[in-house]
Amino acid sequence: MNIQETYMQRCIDLSLAGSGSVAPNPMVGAVLVCQNRIIGEGYHEKYGAAHAEVNCLKSVCLADRDLISSSTLYVSLEPCAHYGKTPPCSQLIIDHKIPTVVIGCSDPFVKVNGKGIANLREAGIEVIAGILEEKAKALNKRFFVYQQKKRPFIILKWAQTADQMIAATGNERLLISNEFSNRLVHRWRGEEDGILVGTNTALKDNPSLTNRLWKGKNPTRLVIDQHLKIPANSHLFNAEATTIVFNASTDSVNDHLIYVKIDFTNRVLEQVLDFCYAYPLQSILVEGGAMLLQSFIDAGIWDEARIIQNNTLKIAAGLAAPILKNKEWVESFPSANDTIFIYRNSTTINK
């Protein structure tokens, strides 16, 4: 790894501290370097708050402020070029007379998308782009899908037995994953904007769909309940998080409970995702049941799949796990007697 890549990796590492707090904005980190010494660092901490470049420049101590105009700014994503919740960062860089800016990847948002780089170059600033570009894009895979495909980033998740079953044949709930894996799932929930289940899962498991085993915000809860079968006293309807119910009969809003009427005769998933895109929800964790998961797979509308497999539990007869198509293995790792498998959709990579 050369020196530019080393500083860009630091930007990426910094940006991760904003995970779960900045959506629908991207995670961004910035590092200011003068004569091979970091004099400032920052990251985008919260949606609506200062961007990474602002926090980086603010962090420079008084004794080093005269060095800003002879430093190189590293930033994991192209600086913005428009007025939004905050002023444009490209103009901030120009105002501070920073001579060189090194960028991980360009910003696909229509109001930026090359304009930030163009503004810097028009001001006479040297711009070096594409440093650790694939890592920088992977960091904000949710943001890129949301901007380019006009839908949330879709993560499918389920737990299965060693013989690939996700439930027993009876009504009794089958506990498949262990306590360590369960805690990991709650961390995952806190990293996404929304969490989606179908009617049968809501009725059988009565889930809360919160991240109570991990710190951070709860995701917006989403449920597809065509005929409004889920009882009003279900955990899904408590005040711990907002719940959106996609149904066939009513549109209404009541505090933390939102009913959205859709047409169940055509493009159900697309209608759900169109609403979530506009809401906006940048990413959704789909937790079941089997029919809902398989419908996303069959439609090709998924980006990542996370499968928790209990390596010792076999039940012989039960509800079979979804069949994942067009999968590309990313990684796998142990969690006590479980193994976590991560896949991505091979048909949507770089498309």
Side-chain angles (χ1 to χ4, degrees), residues 265-312:
T265 66
N266 185 39
R267 300 178 68 252
V268 172
L269 295 183
E270 288 83 352
Q271 291 178 73
V272 169
L273 296 184
D274 285 347
F275 177 89
C276 293
Y277 173 79
Y279 186 70
L281 298 176
Q282 189 171 261
S283 61
I284 296 174
L285 183 65
V286 183
E287 286 210 6
M291 288 180 60
L292 181 61
L293 288 161
Q294 195 65 56
S295 67
F296 274 95
I297 295 168
D298 292 344
I301 308 175
W302 67 281
D303 301 288
E304 189 170 297
R306 302 173 182 178
I307 302 172
I308 304 169
Q309 180 168 296
N310 185 317
N311 298 315
T312 59

Side-chain angles (χ1 to χ4, degrees), residues 23 34 40 53 104 109 139 205 285 309 315:
C34 184
E53 298 92 329
F109 182 46
L139 167 70
D205 297 343
L285 183 65
Q309 180 168 296
I315 61 173

Side-chain angles (χ1 to χ4, degrees), residues 52-262:
E53 298 92 329
V54 176
N55 290 330
C56 177
L57 290 169
K58 281 184 177 179
S59 76
V60 178
C61 69
L62 185 62
D64 287 337
R65 295 201 68 80
D66 289 343
L67 300 176
I68 293 176
S69 60
S70 57
S71 298
T72 297
L73 178 67
Y74 291 80
V75 60
S76 56
L77 188 71
E78 176 184 3
C80 62
H82 66 292
Y83 283 88
K85 296 282 185 181
T86 61
C89 291
S90 57
Q91 188 59 51
L92 178 71
I93 295 167
I94 293 168
D95 292 343
H96 278 80
K97 297 180 172 57
I98 297 172
T100 304
V101 178
V102 181
I103 296 169
C105 64
S106 60
D107 187 334
F109 182 46
V110 65
K111 291 185 178 180
V112 185
N113 200 15
K115 297 181 181 69
I117 292 174
N119 288 352
L120 296 175
R121 284 176 171 159
E122 287 170 7
I125 294 172
E126 179 187 18
V127 178
I128 302 168
I131 304 301
L132 294 187
E133 184 173 17
E134 292 309 309
K135 280 190 175 183
K137 286 182 176 180
L139 167 70
N140 283 304
K141 56 190 177 183
R142 297 162 180 81
F143 179 74
F144 273 74
V145 165
Y146 183 81
Q147 296 296 333
Q148 295 173 336
K149 298 183 181 295
K150 308 304 179 187
R151 65 161 173 81
F153 186 89
I154 302 299
I155 302 170
L156 309 180
K157 171 263 166 185
W158 69 85
Q160 64 185 30
T161 63
D163 49 355
Q164 286 79 56
M165 301 292 176
I166 66 169
T169 52
N171 290 324
E172 185 177 348
R173 187 176 181 184
L174 178 65
L175 300 178
I176 298 175
S177 52
N178 63 49
E179 60 180 308
F180 302 105
S181 300
N182 291 340
R183 193 170 293 273
L184 176 60
V185 168
H186 282 237
R187 191 191 86 181
W188 290 345
R189 288 177 177 179
E191 293 170 348
E192 311 309 331
D193 291 344
I195 180 168
L196 173 65
V197 296
T199 309
N200 290 337
T201 297
L203 290 173
K204 184 175 181 179
D205 297 343
N206 191 21
S208 295
L209 301 185
T210 61
N211 64 336
R212 59 195 176 277
L213 300 180
W214 198 262
K215 62 182 179 179
K217 66 175 180 62
N218 289 319
T220 297
R221 299 177 295 200
L222 312 165
V223 60
I224 299 176
D225 185 12
Q226 181 176 358
H227 302 297
L228 299 177
K229 293 180 179 180
I230 302 171
N233 62 351
S234 296
H235 293 152
L236 274 177
F237 299 142
N238 62 33
E240 293 180 6
T242 297
T243 298
I244 300 173
V245 183
F246 297 96
N247 68 97
S249 58
T250 185
D251 276 309
S252 66
V253 178
N254 180 17
D255 194 18
H256 62 278
L257 188 56
I258 302 171
Y259 287 90
V260 178
K261 183 180 178 180
I262 62 174

Side-chain angles (χ1 to χ4, degrees), residues 17-23 45-47 217:
S19 177
S21 301
V22 301
E45 298 175 9
K46 185 179 180 181
Y47 176 67
K217 66 175 180 62

